[in-house]
Amino acid sequence: MPKEKLKDRARDELFSHINRCGVLAGAGQFGRADQGIFSYWINAHLRRKPLRYIGFGGTGHQTRDCLHPRDLVPLLLRQMEVTGADARDRVVNVSGGEVVVAALAAHGVEVAWGIPGTHNLTIFDALGRYGIRTIATTHEQGAGYAADGYARTARRPGVAIVTSGPAVYNAATAIAQAYSDSSPVLLISPAMPRTLPIGGPGTGYLHEAKDQTGAMERIAAACLHPTTHQEIADQIAAAFTYFAGVRPRPVHVEIPLDLLEERGDATISITPATQPSTPHSAEIAAVADVLVGAERVFIAAGGGSIGATSSVVALAELLGAAVGTSINGTGVIPGDHPLSLGSRLWAPPVLEAANESDVLLVVGCELAQSDLFYGPVRPTGQVVRIDIDPEMADINVRADVMLTGDASVIMHALVTHVSERLGDQPRETGAWIAQVR
């Protein structure tokens, strides 16, 4: 964008904000009103996000501490000239804690759960400025479980922010459960400073734990440890890329507490996710032939099928197939649907129906002990598995055919192939399903 137009745009949008809000709360100490907050202002307005306030310190609402708009304009313009028209991608002279929040905001985070503590205050201080709502919990375990629950219901990563040491271990239980259930939770915490007092680790630093990194590496899918402002932005971006591209499991990002307070620059980027591979059309067509040729088809739908809800129902209706879900798959098919056997894969009649089916189609479901309770599935017919994780081919039951990839993509293709073979004429519901229900 030409420099003159950039200046006009800055002035227009700044004064437009003042006209709407009537006041611009300012810095208690002008020396702290550095370029970082102005980068945020550009961030908010170029993205059409509301700006709640511009302020530092506890006295920002007093008239003598407010900055007049004419004083802000040249500073805003200098910031825009430094970072260019795409200023939202760069933060300048900000704390490491603000880099964390800027990266979260860039990835669409709107809410975070947690507890402010001595070491994470720079993160909590920045959340409101970036429009991220904070929900305080009474225990870090609650923050982890809340983020997990949000991830499962909203179908987007949940974020928990805690302080170091004991707080991380309090959240570890929730992270372990999120790992087991493939839930995309991002746990953010401080770590010990990059330079410890004389004697190194074990010298009694506040909240110091024996091996926070090692402990969380054994619980989460990954424990990332950035050591610069840029690494903070890059590693948070890497976590979101991981969530979007593979089987989602929790990630812990721990930032040295001195880095959280240290000021620096970073480019905030979003790395496109590597999309899961999709089976060749011929493989999907072959599975469609198997399904059409079977009299009794049982679909076992787990949490990995949530994104394929409409296709699961459509395929079941075409084939007259029974659908049983795990607890995590609840809602994939309405409970009152005539083909639904409910979230009761564990129930003996349902398990028996799965075992006696001609084809057991397993969609995003582990068929684990926690899904079945009464023992492993022992199918007598063919087993077809659809899962984003290729290792699921031989987990709990061996698959005769494994289709690896996004369940929503594969199931949609299956519906198309099966519909063509049946001439868009759904089969009648078999009496055997009514007997099981």
Side-chain angles (χ1 to χ4, degrees):
M1 181 182 294
K3 185 174 181 180
E4 290 305 315
K5 289 186 178 181
L6 195 62
K7 290 182 179 180
D8 292 340
R9 183 173 180 178
R11 289 193 181 96
D12 290 346
E13 295 202 9
L14 176 61
F15 285 104
S16 174
H17 168 74
I18 295 167
N19 289 336
R20 291 194 306 274
C21 301
V23 66
L24 189 63
Q29 300 175 13
F30 184 81
R32 294 184 64 192
D34 52 47
Q35 290 180 325
I37 190 64
F38 303 118
S39 175
Y40 166 65
W41 186 89
I42 301 299
N43 225 347
H45 284 275
L46 291 186
R47 289 184 168 194
R48 297 295 188 268
K49 290 183 178 179
L51 177 66
R52 296 183 180 179
Y53 63 87
I54 293 179
F56 296 89
T59 59
H61 293 291
Q62 298 179 20
T63 304
R64 61 185 174 83
D65 290 312
C66 289
L67 295 176
H68 193 278
R70 66 170 173 264
D71 298 320
L72 281 174
V73 170
L75 292 168
L76 285 165
L77 292 176
R78 284 206 300 272
Q79 173 65 9
M80 294 179 82
E81 289 170 7
V82 168
T83 58
D86 201 18
R88 64 180 180 271
D89 292 332
R90 186 157 180 81
V91 287
V92 179
N93 192 26
V94 299
S95 69
E98 184 160 341
V99 176
V100 171
V101 178
L104 294 177
H107 287 85
V109 174
E110 298 176 347
V111 61
W113 288 263
I115 300 179
T118 303
H119 293 162
N120 64 12
L121 294 180
T122 57
I123 300 176
F124 279 91
D125 177 66
L127 288 168
R129 295 201 297 275
Y130 285 78
I132 298 177
R133 184 162 61 104
T134 306
I135 299 178
T137 60
T138 56
H139 192 280
E140 290 86 3
Q141 188 179 103
Y145 277 127
D148 184 6
Y150 174 85
R152 298 181 194 221
T153 55
R155 308 301 299 169
R156 57 194 303 183
V159 177
I161 303 171
V162 301
T163 195
S164 50
V168 172
Y169 295 152
N170 282 344
T173 301
I175 297 304
Q177 188 62 51
Y179 184 92
S180 177
D181 288 344
S182 302
S183 186
V185 175
L186 178 60
L187 177 66
I188 295 175
S189 79
M192 289 298 100
R194 290 165 292 183
T195 302
L196 285 167
I198 295 173
T203 52
Y205 207 95
L206 180 64
H207 295 327
E208 182 181 7
K210 182 179 180 182
D211 187 3
Q212 176 176 296
T213 304
M216 294 308 295
E217 282 179 343
R218 288 161 177 79
I219 295 172
C223 180
L224 308 179
H225 189 92
T227 58
T228 66
H229 287 75
Q230 189 57 55
E231 285 183 5
I232 293 174
D234 292 344
Q235 293 189 11
I236 289 178
F240 279 90
T241 299
Y242 162 75
F243 291 147
V246 297
R247 184 178 185 178
R249 278 174 159 162
V251 173
H252 176 215
V253 178
E254 54 171 16
I255 305 102
L257 65 93
D258 59 323
L259 177 59
L260 285 174
E261 297 175 356
E262 183 179 281
R263 307 187 78 78
D265 308 344
T267 297
I268 309 298
S269 61
I270 299 176
T271 307
T274 301
Q275 296 303 315
S277 60
T278 301
H280 193 277
S281 180
E283 296 178 84
I284 298 176
V287 170
D289 290 335
V290 170
L291 293 172
V292 170
E295 181 179 346
R296 293 186 176 191
V297 176
F298 188 105
I299 301 175
S305 68
I306 293 291
T309 297
S310 59
S311 294
V312 170
V313 175
L315 185 64
E317 290 175 343
L318 283 169
L319 296 169
V323 181
T325 74
S326 66
I327 297 300
N328 286 338
T330 301
V332 170
I333 186 171
D336 59 356
H337 193 288
L339 297 174
S340 172
L341 300 181
S343 302
R344 297 176 297 178
L345 283 177
W346 51 267
V350 176
L351 190 57
E352 183 179 348
N355 287 335
E356 294 179 356
S357 62
D358 299 320
V359 177
L360 173 60
L361 177 61
V362 186
V363 187
C365 185
E366 289 180 313
L367 294 177
Q369 187 273 338
S370 56
D371 298 322
L372 302 175
F373 295 132
Y374 288 100
V377 64
R378 293 186 175 88
T380 56
Q382 291 195 68
V383 177
V384 177
R385 296 194 84 149
I386 297 173
D387 206 287
I388 198 169
D389 185 353
E391 293 184 4
M392 292 304 297
D394 295 318
I395 298 295
N396 294 315
V397 61
R398 293 187 182 279
D400 297 297
V401 180
M402 179 71 188
L403 298 179
T404 302
D406 188 325
S408 63
V409 175
I410 297 173
M411 287 296 291
H412 179 76
L414 267 179
V415 169
T416 300
H417 282 284
V418 170
S419 180
E420 290 173 353
R421 284 158 176 74
L422 295 178
D424 294 325
Q425 293 298 317
R427 290 176 174 171
E428 293 183 3
T429 301
W432 66 282
I433 296 178
Q435 293 173 359
V436 177
R437 286 173 60 87

